[in-house]
Amino acid sequence: MKKRILVIDDDADMCVLLNRFLTKNGYEVDTAHSGAKGIEKFKEQKFDAVLCDYRLGDKKDGKDILLEIKALDPQTIVLIITGYSDIKTAVDVIKLGAYDYITKPLIPDEVLNVLSKALHQQATGSVPSDNPRTEQTTHTSSQTKEQKASNNNNSEFLVGTSGATKELYKQIDIVAPTNFSIILYGESGTGKEVIAKTIHEKSRRSNKPFIAMDCGTLSKELAGSELFGHMKGSFTGALTDKEGHFELANGGTLFLDEVANLSAEIQASLLRVIQERKFKRVGGTKEMDVDVRIIVASNENLQDAYRKGKFREDLYHRFNEFSINLPPLRQRKNDIPLFAEFFLSKTQRELNKNLDGFEEEIMDMFINYSWPGNLREFRNVVRRSVLLTNEGKISVSTLPWEITNAIIGESSQSRSSENSNAAPAKETKVDLKDTASKAEYEAIMSVLKEVNFNKTKAAELLKIDRKTLYNKIKNYEEPQ
């Protein structure tokens, strides 16, 4: 007989994700989006365990729910979930009878392990019902102690469970409590800002501001004003005094994305601020003290950049107290089904849909695709597929041509490789036109993947105009 689990969380997405994950692992799951509704369901039905968020949107919190459940049925296992790493809260709920306390971001396998262990102990009679486990401390896996990384359409489950992800968060655990400056390296779309914010939230500066700045979008003239602020009248258009990012981040963390794009002049000013912890607004005379932790990110290796004379070596060494490489999605294949479910759940809620998940074929394609745009591209693909599907399961037909063509191209290359190792045929007929067309197709697809399917850049590299490129792509999409 299946064990019955009640999930109480005011985050509907979290309820959906836990429901799907636990159901797939053989549990019967019901959910409630408020404490009151959860208690109502608990009174009406029998549950073996309850997973309850500590912070609920209604008047009841996790402690209230725990006490009511224990009063109704002392045998029921209660796990408290929270995004707030508060040891005192953990000890309090355990003293009141909770079996365990799990911090966000949740790792599904960790939840499953704790739940399985609790139910096993309940079945063997080793879980005390009315004698709380006062000596137990919090569940302290290095990853379950992570705080929510971002509120930009991200969720606790985006931590992932692959070996590459676990190694990434192991490094974050080590460096986050320090004041080290950090360089984050990673391809576009790997989530560098999310990781920067995760580091901030795990640091001693977590109650101070986290300010992010994209250096790649700013002109030389605007970069100084954005970083250091300006005084009214200091340049044309400076109609009022303005605080810069250093002022806004004072006491907290300043994240500079695409830092290699800063001009030499701004790099020199930045070095002075880091060395002296003082700065002046553009057009100002007063020096201001500042205390910030700096995290920078770059697609380009900054060591190579300073060797080429594009970046200051002294500034590089100031930043490079610790560096972290973010793995691309193609190296985290075990995480892909989890990300797919997350993006599906999020988009369904946005579009008010209730689909039945993904067809097996499309999930295989997700896993086998190289994802040059990483999580950002993956999210957009799932959103598109949900939009194009009205009912049932999401099928391959909803995927954009870039993915289907790439998968077909990779399969063709694989078959060609296999055929090259086979015994030669007795007679071979060669269609030169067809061969040339295939070669052209493979060249175009290779360049498109190289520039993350930016068709303007691809046209420049292929030395053809944009319209010609579009026409060729259109011809490849049409049945031959």
Side-chain angles (χ1 to χ4, degrees):
M1 185 176 183
K2 289 184 177 180
K3 295 290 185 180
R4 303 196 70 243
I5 312 298
L6 175 62
V7 177
I8 305 174
D9 199 315
D10 59 344
D11 184 341
D13 294 327
M14 178 61 66
C15 286
V16 170
L17 288 167
L18 282 172
N19 189 342
R20 289 189 175 182
F21 178 74
L22 293 174
T23 299
K24 285 180 181 178
N25 282 278
Y27 294 101
E28 186 176 332
V29 184
D30 200 353
T31 61
H33 297 161
S34 70
K37 189 67 177 176
I39 293 298
E40 182 182 326
K41 288 193 173 186
F42 190 82
K43 289 178 178 178
E44 295 172 352
Q45 307 170 51
K46 170 68 178 175
F47 293 96
D48 298 287
V50 176
L51 276 68
C52 181
D53 191 13
Y54 187 79
R55 310 264 178 173
L56 297 170
D58 54 3
K59 295 179 181 179
K60 298 179 185 291
D61 62 17
K63 190 185 295 185
D64 298 325
I65 302 301
L66 170 64
L67 292 172
E68 289 194 48
I69 287 174
K70 285 297 180 181
L72 292 166
D73 184 356
Q75 299 292 336
T76 304
I77 290 167
V78 180
L79 299 176
I80 298 295
I81 300 170
T82 181
Y84 301 82
S85 295
D86 182 349
I87 299 301
K88 184 178 182 301
T89 300
V91 174
D92 285 347
V93 295
I94 289 169
K95 285 181 178 179
L96 291 171
Y99 175 84
D100 211 340
Y101 170 100
I102 307 175
T103 54
K104 299 175 182 177
L106 299 181
I107 296 177
D109 287 341
E110 295 286 351
V111 176
L112 188 61
N113 289 339
V114 176
L115 183 59
S116 300
K117 180 181 176 183
L119 291 169
H120 174 73
Q121 291 183 352
Q122 182 190 59
T124 58
S126 58
V127 175
S129 57
D130 50 7
N131 183 19
R133 304 186 316 153
T134 55
E135 295 182 358
Q136 180 180 354
T137 55
T138 59
H139 189 62
T140 56
S141 136
S142 63
Q143 313 221 299
T144 55
K145 287 171 49 178
E146 300 292 341
Q147 297 226 349
K148 191 172 183 178
S150 172
N151 53 13
N152 286 333
N153 197 29
N154 289 295
S155 169
E156 292 78 5
F157 274 92
L158 285 180
V159 170
T161 59
S162 67
T165 302
K166 288 179 179 178
E167 180 59 33
L168 169 64
Y169 277 84
K170 187 185 297 182
Q171 293 183 58
I172 291 172
D173 279 338
I174 292 170
V175 75
T178 73
N179 275 320
F180 282 22
S181 296
I182 301 169
I183 301 177
L184 301 178
Y185 291 115
E187 297 176 7
S188 177
T190 49
K192 293 185 283 292
E193 184 173 339
V194 170
I195 295 301
K197 191 169 184 183
T198 300
I199 293 170
H200 169 74
E201 291 183 343
K202 288 178 62 62
S203 74
R204 291 189 291 269
R205 298 173 179 267
S206 59
N207 62 339
K208 298 294 184 180
F210 172 85
I211 303 296
M213 174 177 167
D214 184 356
C215 304
T217 61
L218 297 174
S219 65
K220 175 182 173 181
E221 293 73 22
L222 283 178
S225 171
E226 290 297 316
L227 279 168
F228 311 119
H230 63 247
M231 303 302 293
K232 179 180 179 180
S234 57
F235 56 86
T236 303
L239 303 179
T240 59
D241 292 348
K242 176 184 175 180
E243 291 181 318
H245 284 62
F246 270 99
E247 280 181 81
L248 295 172
N250 195 22
T253 302
L254 177 60
F255 172 61
L256 303 177
D257 198 7
E258 300 301 339
V259 70
N261 291 327
L262 291 174
S263 67
E265 181 183 342
I266 295 299
Q267 288 180 36
S269 300
L270 194 54
L271 178 65
R272 179 178 178 273
V273 176
I274 295 171
Q275 290 174 332
E276 301 180 12
R277 295 186 177 274
K278 296 178 183 292
F279 72 96
K280 295 177 183 177
R281 289 183 180 176
V282 176
T285 57
K286 179 184 175 182
E287 281 199 328
M288 300 183 180
D289 294 326
V290 67
D291 172 29
V292 298
R293 180 187 198 170
I294 296 180
I295 301 176
V296 303
S298 177
N299 288 329
E300 182 179 359
N301 187 305
L302 294 182
Q303 190 174 43
D304 291 342
Y306 86 68
R307 286 172 177 167
K308 294 174 183 176
K310 296 168 59 179
F311 199 79
R312 291 183 65 112
E313 181 178 359
D314 46 6
L315 185 58
Y316 163 75
H317 289 300
R318 285 285 182 175
F319 288 153
N320 194 39
E321 292 184 308
F322 196 88
S323 63
I324 298 176
N325 287 291
L326 277 64
L329 188 56
R330 62 182 174 274
Q331 294 177 9
R332 306 166 65 182
K333 290 187 181 294
N334 289 345
D335 292 336
I336 286 176
L338 187 61
F339 291 133
E341 290 289 344
F342 164 73
F343 292 136
L344 170 63
S345 175
K346 208 76 171 174
T347 308
Q348 285 197 123
R349 187 176 182 188
E350 177 188 347
L351 300 179
N352 195 27
K353 290 191 174 186
N354 186 23
L355 305 179
D356 297 329
F358 299 94
E359 290 184 354
E360 187 174 340
E361 184 181 3
I362 196 173
M363 190 61 76
D364 289 341
M365 294 185 79
F366 285 163
I367 292 171
N368 292 320
Y369 181 55
S370 60
W371 297 110
N374 293 291
L375 282 171
R376 186 181 297 121
E377 180 187 8
F378 192 13
R379 171 181 174 269
N380 290 342
V381 167
V382 173
R383 284 168 59 81
R384 167 198 165 101
S385 293
V386 174
L387 179 65
L388 294 175
T389 306
N390 293 321
E391 60 183 4
K393 291 188 175 184
I394 297 173
S395 69
V396 172
S397 63
T398 63
L399 293 180
W401 69 268
E402 293 97 330
I403 293 181
T404 53
N405 280 8
I407 296 292
I408 292 169
E410 289 168 5
S411 299
S412 299
Q413 289 178 9
S414 176
R415 286 195 298 272
S416 298
S417 176
E418 292 173 3
N419 291 336
S420 67
N421 296 325
K426 292 182 178 179
E427 182 179 353
T428 304
K429 294 182 179 180
V430 179
D431 185 331
L432 289 178
K433 184 177 180 182
D434 184 53
T435 302
S437 178
K438 286 181 179 177
E440 181 184 71
Y441 165 77
E442 289 175 3
I444 289 175
M445 290 306 300
S446 175
V447 171
L448 281 168
K449 283 192 280 187
E450 183 180 336
V451 298
N452 292 340
F453 292 94
N454 183 318
K455 297 179 183 64
T456 300
K457 288 184 179 179
E460 291 174 1
L461 290 172
L462 292 164
K463 301 188 185 307
I464 59 177
D465 60 63
R466 188 180 167 101
K467 184 178 179 182
T468 300
L469 177 61
Y470 272 102
N471 288 337
K472 288 182 178 294
I473 292 171
K474 184 178 180 182
N475 288 337
Y476 294 138
E477 291 183 76
E478 292 174 353
Q480 300 298 315

